[in-house]
Amino acid sequence: MSLPISILDLAYIGRGETASSSLAASVQMARNAERWGYHRIWYAEHHNMPVIASSATSVLIAHIAAHTERIRLGAGGIMLPNHAPLTIAEQFGTLAELHPGRIDLGLGRAPGTDQQTMRALRSDPSSADSFPQDVLELQGYLTGPSRLPGVEATPGKGTNVPLYILGSSLFGAQLAAALGLPYAFASHFAPAALHDAIALYRREFRPSAQLAEPYVIAAVNVIAADTEEEAQHHFLETKRRRVDVFVGGGRQFSPEEADLILDSPAGRQILAMVHYTAVGTPTAVRDYLADFASQTGADELMVASSATDRSAWMRSLELVADVAGLASRSAVTTG
């Protein structure tokens, strides 16, 4: 594979971990990913989820950027209905001034949480309806001119932080195409519309000042291990952990209980979420990713290592980088 490969890091809090230890692991992974040759790392905004520590996304990006040197970092994404566009422009404008040429801003229109937490965020459910206008307002603050006369983002104005539209449906594809922005599809957890959304985006894309041709990032789960048996073990643990999160609301089921749920209608929904998962030895994972890239026509892959064991998580990303030859490609690019 010659296309760039990046990482989605959810700052996952595993069993027996704290938010602090999870964030420390994210720092270490980012430092390794930079050395391994990954293109970028994105962090997602989620709220009221006890297993995810990336809720203050821009703060986390700032911390990771301060502990790395070259790798691109960004939001995958900021859930814009939760925020005023000016505030996000100032946050990411500050990041861009501190770390020039390294900051991305992916934008989504989902709340990234439940209805009760939306109220705690002071977010109006109808705010998602103004997502296209909010994207344009945000873009104006970063690139100029501002769409609100007399209002500028400082820092922010002139930083030209690149925007990406995130989506798991045709809506995001249509918007990204209409605005001439790159499109990132969340096929790592919402695979159903992947091919239709990408086809629509490419068909309707209109060039913009930021982007002359369509650019697609497709997300995919990966669990690579030194043996097939080890990889399948970690994949099973991943599915069981998702039962805890999506069925139990954080309650920890026994392995036997989780397996029974996985055989139920609720479990089949969880299995559908991980439809696009590369599992196995490094060679098997490489072949899966190459086929996935070919089938989607993606310009970049974003891998999410869903292994629940921290060592297996880190090892999985290392094996993917090694088998894809990322370090050698990075050396040619930066040399």
Side-chain angles (χ1 to χ4, degrees), residues 148-227:
L148 295 181
V151 180
E152 305 285 357
T154 306
K157 182 179 180 180
T159 56
N160 297 304
V161 175
L163 302 183
Y164 298 74
I165 299 297
L166 278 59
S168 57
S169 68
L170 300 185
F171 177 88
Q174 289 176 317
L175 180 62
L179 299 183
L181 294 175
Y183 180 53
F185 192 89
S187 34
H188 64 297
F189 77 89
L194 171 64
H195 295 285
D196 289 342
I198 290 177
L200 185 153
Y201 169 70
R202 292 195 181 280
R203 183 173 65 248
E204 298 189 5
F205 179 83
R206 291 186 290 184
S208 67
Q210 179 177 326
L211 193 64
E213 297 179 349
Y215 192 88
V216 172
I217 302 173
V220 57
N221 298 295
V222 296
I223 298 181
D226 294 291
T227 67

Side-chain angles (χ1 to χ4, degrees), residues 47-69:
H47 299 280
N48 195 29
M49 294 191 70
V51 296
I52 293 179
S54 54
S55 55
T57 314
S58 60
V59 178
L60 177 57
I61 293 169
H63 183 65
I64 301 288
H67 288 80
T68 52
E69 297 178 358

Side-chain angles (χ1 to χ4, degrees), residues 6 31 60 266 295:
S6 300
R31 292 172 66 90
L60 177 57
Q295 298 249 352

Side-chain angles (χ1 to χ4, degrees), residues 2-328:
S2 59
L3 74 171
I5 301 180
S6 300
I7 296 172
L8 176 65
D9 180 6
L10 294 175
Y12 174 76
I13 304 173
R15 289 181 178 177
E17 288 189 329
T18 63
S20 177
S21 61
S22 168
L23 296 173
S26 289
V27 171
Q28 185 57 54
M29 187 275 286
R31 292 172 66 90
N32 288 340
E34 186 170 70
R35 177 166 49 84
W36 292 334
Y38 280 97
H39 183 54
R40 66 177 109 228
I41 306 173
W42 279 1
Y43 306 89
E45 177 189 347
H46 292 282
H47 299 280
N48 195 29
M49 294 191 70
V51 296
I52 293 179
S54 54
S55 55
T57 314
S58 60
V59 178
L60 177 57
I61 293 169
H63 183 65
I64 301 288
H67 288 80
T68 52
E69 297 178 358
R70 303 177 308 278
I71 194 167
R72 295 193 68 89
L73 302 165
I78 289 294
M79 301 297 106
L80 198 52
N82 296 338
H83 309 277
L86 177 60
T87 299
I88 297 304
E90 291 169 340
Q91 290 177 8
F92 280 79
T94 300
L95 288 169
E97 295 287 5
L98 291 170
H99 308 283
R102 296 182 58 199
I103 303 300
D104 303 325
L105 178 49
L107 301 168
R109 68 168 182 148
T113 190
D114 55 75
Q115 295 293 320
Q116 181 73 359
T117 308
M118 283 181 65
R119 287 192 283 273
L121 289 166
R122 305 296 190 265
S123 183
D124 183 343
S126 65
S127 58
D129 297 338
S130 63
F131 180 64
Q133 293 75 29
D134 289 345
V135 172
L136 289 172
E137 182 182 337
L138 173 59
Q139 188 178 50
Y141 291 135
L142 295 171
T143 63
S146 170
R147 290 179 174 262
L148 295 181
V151 180
E152 305 285 357
T154 306
K157 182 179 180 180
T159 56
N160 297 304
V161 175
L163 302 183
Y164 298 74
I165 299 297
L166 278 59
S168 57
S169 68
L170 300 185
F171 177 88
Q174 289 176 317
L175 180 62
L179 299 183
L181 294 175
Y183 180 53
F185 192 89
S187 34
H188 64 297
F189 77 89
L194 171 64
H195 295 285
D196 289 342
I198 290 177
L200 185 153
Y201 169 70
R202 292 195 181 280
R203 183 173 65 248
E204 298 189 5
F205 179 83
R206 291 186 290 184
S208 67
Q210 179 177 326
L211 193 64
E213 297 179 349
Y215 192 88
V216 172
I217 302 173
V220 57
N221 298 295
V222 296
I223 298 181
D226 294 291
T227 67
E228 176 70 21
E229 293 75 18
E230 184 183 357
Q232 291 297 335
H233 165 75
H234 290 302
F235 188 36
L236 178 58
E237 289 301 308
T238 293
K239 290 181 283 189
R240 288 170 173 168
R241 183 59 167 149
R242 291 198 178 207
V243 170
D244 292 348
V245 174
F246 293 107
V247 178
R251 169 194 166 188
Q252 293 185 10
F253 292 99
S254 70
E256 294 77 16
E257 290 173 327
D259 291 345
L260 285 173
I261 294 171
L262 287 170
D263 285 334
S264 72
R268 286 192 285 274
Q269 186 175 4
I270 291 172
L271 295 177
M273 292 173 65
V274 295
H275 176 74
Y276 291 116
T277 302
V279 184
T281 63
T283 300
V285 167
R286 180 198 61 199
D287 292 346
Y288 183 101
L289 294 179
D291 183 65
F292 179 78
S294 175
Q295 298 249 352
T296 59
D299 301 288
E300 179 180 337
L301 297 184
M302 183 158 287
V303 299
S305 177
S306 51
T308 58
D309 177 83
R310 185 60 71 188
S311 297
W313 173 71
M314 198 78 77
R315 179 62 174 159
S316 183
L317 293 170
E318 180 182 16
L319 290 173
V320 170
D322 182 60
V323 78
L326 298 186
S328 58

